[in-house]
Amino acid sequence: MSTDPNVIVGIDLGTTNSLVAICDSRGPRILGDVQGNSMVPSVVRYPQAPNQPEVVGTQAKLEATLFPRHTVSSVKRLMGRSRADAGPDVGYLGYEVVAGDRGAARVRIPAGLGVPERVLSPEEVSASILKALKAQAQTALGHEVHKAVITVPAYFDDAQRQATRVAGRLAGLEVVRLVPEPTAAALAYGIGLPRVGAKPTNVIVYDLGGGTFDISVLRLSPGEGDEPYFFQALSVGGDTHLGGDDFDHALVEAMWREVAPLLGVPAATTPSPGVAKLLSQEAERVKILLSSAEAALVRLDIESIAYSRTFSRSELEALIGDLVERTIVSATRVLEQARQALAGEPIDSLVLVGGSTRVPLVRRRVRETFGLEPYTALNPDEVVALGASVQGALLSGARSGALLLDVLPLSLGVETVGGAVAKLIVRNSTVPARAKEFFSTSVDGQTGIRLSVYQGEREMAADCRKLGEFSVSGIPPMPAGVPQLEVTFAVDANGVLNVSAVERRSGRQASLQVVPTHGLTQAEVERIEQESFRHAREDMTRHRVVDLIVNGKLDLKWIGERLAKHRTELAPEYAAELDAGVATLAALISRAEQDWQSVDANQMHRAKETLDRASMKLQELAIATSLRERPRQV
Ligand code: AMP
């Protein structure tokens, strides 16, 4: 195994899940295990018999109910705390928490067959999780890892931070820095990173996970000397027992109110542990489905009954509305507390962290409350670990920001019918950059428009890098070309791209957010540039042929429809001239569709022009008729 002494990984040591990431020339990325799982549940199971291994992660979590007293989860709640201080939390934990030296919280694992009782510090338990993450990183990278940046909640006090450092050391890691979780989340989006002309920026980080809610207002300022940036928490708050698990619970209660009568028990009775588990698993599944679908089916076989019903998103929203409002009240209060420190400055950015920020109601309320479009491009479960790795790269000198430039390295655009790319923002534009363009449909009665966003210099989408796609749906049926889709591309100062699309007639809209430079190296940008030079002439011709195909087809459709309607009114020679023009263009289009290189673009252009000119008379006739046929307005 080779050793790269400079590598500093980023670790999100979470209450329920932990992750490890690296930031290299490709930008930050999560290091997963061989099966591609990235999250390591923060759960450790201790042996009950000699020769049994310590088990960390998914397996320990899945088998937790089988070994409740030997399985330790949520140990982060005990880090650096006394047994007395941790008191209110202990009730939630399935294992035994005792007071150790000077009252410090300790975990007691009962004796097993031939295994003595053990009393462990929370640091030791956390170290087991960190060791598992370290091993996962080493396997993914193929070399040893000795250094890490570890994230901690913004509210962690000295004792809790010190405990985290000790855990790192016990895991054989040099903890080069502890970074507050909200700061890491901002760094993952490039907020606060050193760049030319950087100014202090104020950020709200709204973090709603499974069991905890944290809200922080931060100021990130450009650094000096070795310090890439300075960070200041203006105010923090939250609720250590509020999160997605409570959403699940609200849904469980709603289901139980309907299931209990079917089982012949009053709804006030508590479901058995087995039934409770089934209900809560189903509740989480349905909740997650409702983040992307409008309705989801619940289906449960409990004892002798089969329970099935559909939950709509609005039903879920009614059940969790109060819980979401609690986070909003708390967030507003924290923002109020920051007002003085902000001294009239605005909040520049809003970052969402935690799996529960995928809930549409949460996003909507947060957006409404702060009047800002939140950063959501990165996976909200991964953003803290990614940011920790960015800090690691800054500290090790492996400049993360190789591509965090003040200009866009590659052009950005959308795919149009026929597979060409319409570039909205061209390469080398300075950021922030903004562009707007109108598009329409190519098929009559089209009620949805899918937009694919690309990055690159080539003319065809197939030769560019796809950044993502989204759809505007629910457009009322209209003839092709009538809907007006206004597409806006906005790249902010941090290089994050927001694409929004609104159909002007119906008001239907949708949007997408991506970080275009993620996963892209300087070398790749150069290769893409070279390729575009090499293919420039061929690409231009191809783009022209594709446009001729699309526009020619629209002509053929339009002329064909009117010819059918008005043929009897036309002079036979004129009808024959049009028929011939249509046949010539149709043949060229069909050949071009088989192989674009088999046609001469100029010849195709001439055929289209000839037909367009010839069809003028037909056009006049059609307009005159449509005016005659138009109903009188009342
Ligand atoms: P975290 O602690 O950040 O890993 O967040 C975990 C919480 O996010 C759990 O309550 C999950 O049920 C919830 N979660 C994950 N994905 C989704 C989703 N797509 N929609 C709603 N909640 C989700």
Side-chain angles (χ1 to χ4, degrees):
M1 222 187 235
S2 73
T3 305
D4 182 348
N6 272 329
V7 158
I8 304 178
V9 294
I11 292 179
D12 170 7
L13 184 60
T15 308
T16 29
N17 292 301
S18 297
L19 290 109
V20 56
I22 182 86
C23 180
D24 53 20
S25 58
R26 289 188 165 270
R29 73 195 139 90
I30 297 287
L31 299 171
D33 66 9
V34 274
Q35 285 96 34
N37 303 313
S38 51
M39 277 198 205
V40 174
S42 307
V43 183
V44 186
R45 182 171 84 233
Y46 290 91
Q48 296 168 293
N51 305 328
Q52 271 183 0
E54 199 175 280
V55 182
V56 179
T58 307
Q59 196 191 340
K61 178 185 170 177
L62 290 176
E63 295 168 352
T65 43
L66 301 175
F67 310 99
R69 283 153 54 78
H70 287 79
T71 305
V72 182
S73 57
S74 298
V75 77
K76 189 173 174 179
R77 295 190 187 276
L78 305 178
M79 290 284 274
R81 298 177 80 190
S82 69
R83 171 69 181 79
D85 284 348
D89 281 316
V90 170
Y92 291 85
L93 308 173
Y95 49 92
E96 198 181 342
V97 181
V98 296
D101 259 3
R102 281 175 287 166
R106 292 283 181 267
V107 174
R108 199 178 78 86
I109 306 293
L113 271 176
V115 183
E117 169 191 298
R118 289 178 78 177
V119 174
L120 299 158
S121 67
E123 290 88 326
E124 287 172 277
V125 182
S126 292
S128 294
I129 301 163
L130 289 170
K131 268 187 217 154
L133 292 165
K134 180 180 167 193
Q136 186 161 309
Q138 294 189 148
T139 308
L141 292 170
H143 59 69
E144 287 183 12
V145 170
H146 298 294
K147 296 181 181 180
V149 166
I150 302 181
T151 59
V152 288
Y155 57 79
F156 256 25
D157 63 19
D158 275 350
Q160 290 168 303
R161 294 166 63 92
Q162 188 51 29
T164 308
R165 283 190 181 280
V166 169
R169 206 160 48 236
L170 291 175
L173 286 168
E174 179 192 338
V175 182
V176 259
R177 186 161 300 187
L178 296 176
V179 176
E181 288 158 10
T183 307
L187 287 179
Y189 280 105
I191 302 169
L193 282 187
R195 59 164 65 86
V196 183
K199 290 194 285 285
T201 154
N202 300 315
V203 191
I204 292 190
V205 182
Y206 175 103
D207 177 350
L208 190 61
T212 55
F213 168 61
D214 292 309
I215 180 90
S216 330
V217 182
L218 316 172
R219 177 179 287 146
L220 291 157
S221 315
E224 283 163 19
D226 287 345
E227 276 309 309
Y229 66 90
F230 294 120
F231 133 88
Q232 198 185 352
L234 304 184
S235 64
V236 296
D239 186 331
T240 50
H241 292 286
L242 177 60
D245 299 346
D246 299 289
F247 297 173
D248 301 347
H249 194 66
L251 206 47
V252 164
E253 285 186 340
M255 293 197 289
W256 179 243
R257 278 195 293 277
E258 295 173 355
V259 169
L262 300 178
L263 290 172
V265 296
T269 39
T270 320
S272 68
V275 172
K277 188 162 181 219
L278 265 183
L279 286 169
S280 84
Q281 277 171 349
E282 186 66 357
E284 184 177 18
R285 192 184 68 81
V286 165
K287 172 190 75 175
I288 289 174
L289 282 175
L290 288 174
S291 286
S292 50
E294 289 293 335
L297 183 68
V298 169
R299 208 188 272 275
L300 280 174
D301 289 316
I302 300 177
E303 294 166 14
S304 57
I305 62 129
Y307 168 73
S308 129
R309 77 105 112 180
T310 301
F311 270 95
S312 67
R313 186 185 287 172
S314 49
E315 274 178 284
L316 174 70
E317 292 186 350
L319 292 170
I320 64 172
D322 287 349
L323 295 165
V324 175
E325 260 354 90
R326 267 171 60 196
T327 71
I328 296 296
V329 167
S330 157
T332 317
R333 194 179 316 127
V334 165
L335 181 57
E336 270 320 305
Q337 286 160 1
R339 286 272 172 233
Q340 201 178 359
L342 283 168
E345 286 174 27
I347 298 287
D348 303 293
S349 317
L350 167 61
V351 176
L352 299 188
V353 182
S356 299
T357 59
R358 292 198 184 91
V359 174
L361 175 66
V362 171
R363 286 202 181 173
R364 202 161 69 233
R365 290 296 294 124
V366 169
R367 194 184 283 124
E368 284 166 2
T369 307
F370 300 113
L372 285 169
E373 191 53 41
Y375 280 109
T376 53
L378 302 177
N379 184 335
D381 298 313
E382 298 180 349
V383 56
V384 168
L386 292 173
S389 78
V390 170
Q391 173 72 81
L394 288 170
L395 290 169
S396 68
R399 191 166 142 55
S400 72
L403 277 169
L404 284 162
L405 307 170
D406 306 314
V407 295
L408 279 175
L410 296 171
S411 303
L412 300 167
V414 291
E415 182 178 9
T416 54
V417 182
V421 175
K423 302 203 170 84
L424 275 89
I425 300 184
V426 294
R427 63 186 288 260
N428 286 338
S429 300
T430 50
V431 293
R434 203 179 170 85
K436 191 155 70 178
E437 210 168 304
F438 280 93
F439 295 91
S440 192
T441 49
S442 55
V443 178
D444 285 340
Q446 205 176 317
T447 56
I449 305 179
R450 181 189 292 269
L451 279 161
S452 300
V453 178
Y454 282 87
Q455 174 182 49
E457 300 315 311
R458 303 285 302 275
E459 295 292 322
M460 302 305 292
D463 300 317
C464 291
R465 184 169 178 249
K466 186 168 182 169
L467 295 176
E469 63 178 26
F470 67 109
S471 296
V472 182
S473 57
I475 301 170
M478 287 180 252
V482 173
Q484 290 186 348
L485 192 71
E486 182 182 309
V487 176
T488 308
F489 272 47
V491 181
D492 70 15
N494 303 311
V496 178
L497 167 67
N498 276 290
V499 183
S500 58
V502 53
E503 200 289 303
R504 295 278 286 259
R505 289 167 196 270
S506 57
R508 303 290 302 189
Q509 53 183 307
S511 60
L512 170 77
Q513 191 185 82
V514 278
V515 187
T517 49
H518 268 191
L520 200 63
T521 62
Q522 188 61 45
E524 265 172 292
V525 170
E526 278 159 24
R527 180 184 55 77
I528 289 169
E529 214 175 270
Q530 291 305 322
E531 269 180 19
S532 80
F533 293 148
R534 236 191 0 265
H535 295 278
R537 183 181 290 271
E538 166 195 332
D539 271 9
M540 288 296 284
T541 314
R542 184 163 185 192
H543 196 156
R544 189 160 167 236
V545 171
V546 165
D547 284 350
L548 281 165
I549 293 176
V550 172
N551 292 322
K553 278 177 142 179
L554 283 175
D555 285 359
L556 290 180
K557 175 172 174 288
W558 192 92
I559 293 171
E561 283 167 9
R562 273 137 197 96
L563 252 178
K565 189 168 173 195
H566 299 288
R567 187 175 286 277
T568 53
E569 302 160 50
L570 304 177
E573 316 76 71
Y574 178 51
E577 184 193 346
L578 287 177
D579 284 339
V582 164
T584 309
L585 183 60
L588 282 169
I589 287 179
S590 126
R591 243 173 58 207
E593 281 188 318
Q594 306 264 325
D595 173 12
W596 69 273
Q597 280 169 308
S598 71
V599 292
D600 172 0
N602 290 330
Q603 187 194 357
M604 219 170 148
H605 181 75
R606 277 194 305 274
K608 186 176 170 312
E609 293 256 287
T610 309
L611 180 61
D612 283 349
R613 259 198 313 276
S615 67
M616 292 291 240
K617 251 188 290 171
L618 176 65
Q619 201 168 333
E620 283 161 18
L621 180 68
I623 291 172
T625 315
S626 82
L627 285 177
R628 258 198 326 275
E629 287 173 354
R630 185 180 283 178
R632 272 185 293 171
Q633 290 169 327
V634 287

